[in-house]
Amino acid sequence: MHAFDVLGDPVRRRILELLAEGERTSGAVTAVIREEFAISQPAVSQHLRVLRESGFTTVRAEGARRLYTIDAAPLREVDVWLERFRGFWEQRLDALGTELARGKRARRLHDGTQGGAQGGGNRSAEDRTAGKAKEETPGG
């Protein structure tokens, strides 16, 4: 089964998310998946089998328990495949970062000129509001 066929299923993606937090027993995985997806224990076992057979997870026996963990090799293969596409979203994220920085800079300049025009100097709007409240308080 191709890696994207495996990852295309939301149940299997959720299982991998759980295993990304650390090794878990099949019972612990099953309990979470049954609650979140309302599927049977045999269905969860089938998803675990697909993940194991496709190399995304490994399992080890500890007495009667089966402990599952992620095997990162198939994920690295997916990462290598995605590498050719990263430029598309990284450019957009860089552009977004630039626009956010421009917006922050413009707000700082705007706040600084308004504060100076009101005689507030470099005080923030919150400081100016607190000072005004104090002036209006009797005995303040």
Side-chain angles (χ1 to χ4, degrees), residues 23-28 59-68:
E23 184 178 63
R24 291 188 185 231
T25 64
S26 58
V59 64
R60 68 179 178 87
E62 188 178 87
R65 300 179 339 153
R66 299 291 173 257
L67 296 154
Y68 281 81

Side-chain angles (χ1 to χ4, degrees), residues 10-104:
V11 172
R12 290 192 286 266
R13 285 195 311 270
R14 180 64 177 124
I15 291 171
L16 289 173
E17 289 170 0
L18 292 170
L19 295 176
E21 298 170 4
E23 184 178 63
R24 291 188 185 231
T25 64
S26 58
V29 170
T30 299
V32 172
I33 297 302
R34 288 187 70 190
E35 182 178 320
E36 291 182 8
F37 291 91
I39 61 175
S40 68
Q41 182 275 327
V44 177
S45 293
Q46 181 68 20
H47 285 291
L48 286 167
R49 185 174 69 78
V50 169
L51 288 168
R52 187 179 64 249
E53 289 178 356
S54 62
F56 280 87
T57 63
T58 58
V59 64
R60 68 179 178 87
E62 188 178 87
R65 300 179 339 153
R66 299 291 173 257
L67 296 154
Y68 281 81
T69 189
I70 286 183
D71 186 338
L75 294 172
R76 280 191 290 275
E77 291 173 19
V78 169
D79 187 51
V80 167
W81 187 85
L82 286 171
E83 183 61 39
R84 71 182 94 181
F85 302 102
R86 278 200 178 84
F88 293 113
W89 66 77
E90 285 177 350
Q91 289 172 343
R92 291 187 176 126
L93 289 174
D94 289 344
L96 175 61
T98 300
E99 289 304 313
L100 290 172
R102 283 183 185 154
K104 286 179 183 177

